Amino acid sequence: MAVERTLSIIKPDAVAKNVIGEIYSRFEKSGLKIIASRMHHLSRQEAEGFYAVHKARPFFNDLVSFMISGPVMVQVLEGENAVLNHRQLMGATDPKKAEPGTIRADFADSIDANAVHGSDAAETAAVEIAYFFPAMSIYSR
Ligand code: UDP
């Protein structure tokens, strides 16, 4: 299996619930390393750019408003099979459908306020990581 990188965002709802450490702990226990990390309050323009792929979807405006409602934690995770491993830790987009014990099952309130974001493929991860972190601020180890 290949060592991969993926982009994780702890969304404003989960930051407000004070569960950053709990979520980081789940990453580390699953073998993912946090190799870059920052708290950031997205501007509307930044959130629209990040979610540009969803621009035509009916939930786009609500999603952008939610993502700028408070600060987020953004991190790069590295490890074997990181993209899929992280998606499994997150659980399904809709927390009502998420497996028990996943981050969304435990901390998300709804499909809109669903606690976390994770890249869905290695190619997307590369683009999303570059959106937030210059290469020199990523500390592979
Ligand atoms: N989303 C939403 N309503 C929907 C579907 C998605 O508000 O009906 C939001 C939700 O926050 C989700 C994000 O849009 O996390 C991106 O959607 P995607 O299908 O890519 O889900 P994810 O990859 O985050 O599980």
Side-chain angles (χ1 to χ4, degrees), residues 11 51 54 57 59 63 87 93 104 111-112 114 117-118:
K11 295 184 179 182
Y51 278 118
H54 293 307
R57 308 282 289 275
F59 57 81
L63 173 61
R87 295 285 302 187
T93 309
R104 282 169 166 165
I111 194 167
D112 321 85
N114 64 358
H117 166 84

Side-chain angles (χ1 to χ4, degrees), residues 1-134:
M1 249 186 294
V3 172
E4 292 177 337
R5 291 178 179 182
T6 192
L7 186 87
S8 154
I9 302 179
I10 301 178
K11 295 184 179 182
D13 58 326
V15 171
K17 282 184 182 166
N18 205 26
V19 291
I20 295 169
E22 170 71 30
I23 293 172
Y24 272 23
S25 174
R26 292 182 186 206
F27 295 156
E28 293 184 338
K29 283 184 186 140
S30 81
L32 292 168
K33 288 180 180 172
I34 298 160
I35 61 168
S37 169
R38 67 188 270 227
M39 185 172 270
H40 183 65
H41 197 145
L42 288 157
S43 68
R44 182 168 293 275
Q45 195 181 8
E46 287 169 339
E48 285 175 353
F50 184 74
Y51 278 118
V53 66
H54 293 307
K55 206 169 172 40
R57 308 282 289 275
F59 57 81
F60 180 72
N61 285 337
D62 288 343
L63 173 61
V64 167
S65 295
F66 166 65
M67 289 301 289
I68 66 173
S69 65
V72 298
M73 279 303 297
V74 193
Q75 41 285 322
V76 180
L77 308 177
E78 186 173 75
E80 296 280 344
N81 215 12
V83 173
L84 188 60
N85 182 0
H86 180 226
R87 295 285 302 187
Q88 285 169 345
L89 290 177
M90 288 165 54
T93 309
D94 182 351
K96 291 202 283 294
K97 296 181 185 152
E99 290 288 317
T102 59
I103 294 168
R104 282 169 166 165
D106 289 345
F107 302 122
D109 295 325
S110 66
I111 194 167
D112 321 85
N114 64 358
V116 281
H117 166 84
S119 309
D120 61 4
E123 299 73 30
T124 333
V127 174
E128 292 182 353
I129 290 167
Y131 197 77
F132 286 102
F133 296 99

